[in-house]
Amino acid sequence: MSDHEQQQSAPRRGKVLEALARAERKVFTRPAPKSAKAQVKFLLTRAKGSTQALAGRLGVSHRTVERYRAETLTTPQKRCRTALVEEAESEWQPQVRAQARQQAATSSGMMMDVTAHF
């Protein structure tokens, strides 16, 4: 395979992998919590109720985490909102995927239709 052919196949391979990842997200996932309170509640359950641990992961004080949980703060600042979304999705998606894969393994399986253009 020449260098030119390898360079052209790499973007195609990337597109195929992206399409597979999108298909997997459709099949295996449900939406992560959207509101700050729901995200904090979910992350606190994953952190076993430790506001200190969650605050460290988000880069805020434990008092801020407590305010989100009590709903005295409802709209996070941009930096905190980004951290909340990233942390919630990183914790949420693997859990849901594992449950869906386990269910597919114990039932009749899973079927996907894929169309690729090369």
Side-chain angles (χ1 to χ4, degrees):
M1 190 179 262
S2 72
D3 287 338
H4 181 67
E5 289 173 341
Q6 286 178 345
Q7 289 174 353
Q8 284 184 338
S9 68
R12 288 187 203 139
R13 196 171 331 121
K15 288 181 181 180
V16 170
L17 293 175
E18 288 173 17
L20 287 172
R22 280 193 310 272
E24 184 181 50
R25 280 193 301 270
K26 281 183 179 178
V27 173
F28 285 125
T29 62
R30 59 183 185 224
K34 298 291 182 198
S35 70
K37 180 185 178 189
Q39 290 168 339
V40 168
K41 182 180 174 183
F42 170 71
L43 290 170
L44 277 171
T45 59
R46 300 294 287 176
K48 297 181 175 79
S50 172
T51 57
Q52 285 288 65
L54 180 56
R57 288 173 53 188
L58 297 175
V60 296
S61 70
H62 79 283
R63 185 68 188 123
T64 302
V65 172
E66 291 172 357
R67 287 182 184 125
Y68 285 120
R69 182 171 53 181
E71 286 190 81
T72 55
L73 284 177
T74 55
T75 307
Q77 295 177 349
K78 188 175 183 177
R79 181 179 55 89
C80 184
R81 179 179 44 228
T82 304
L84 270 173
V85 169
E86 288 175 4
E87 286 296 321
E89 286 182 356
S90 71
E91 289 287 325
W92 182 263
Q93 302 301 350
Q95 176 184 355
V96 174
R97 284 184 182 154
Q99 289 172 354
R101 286 182 181 148
Q102 179 64 32
Q103 184 179 6
T106 58
S107 67
S108 61
M110 176 178 33
M111 185 172 281
M112 292 176 47
D113 291 322
V114 180
T115 304
H117 300 276
F118 295 95

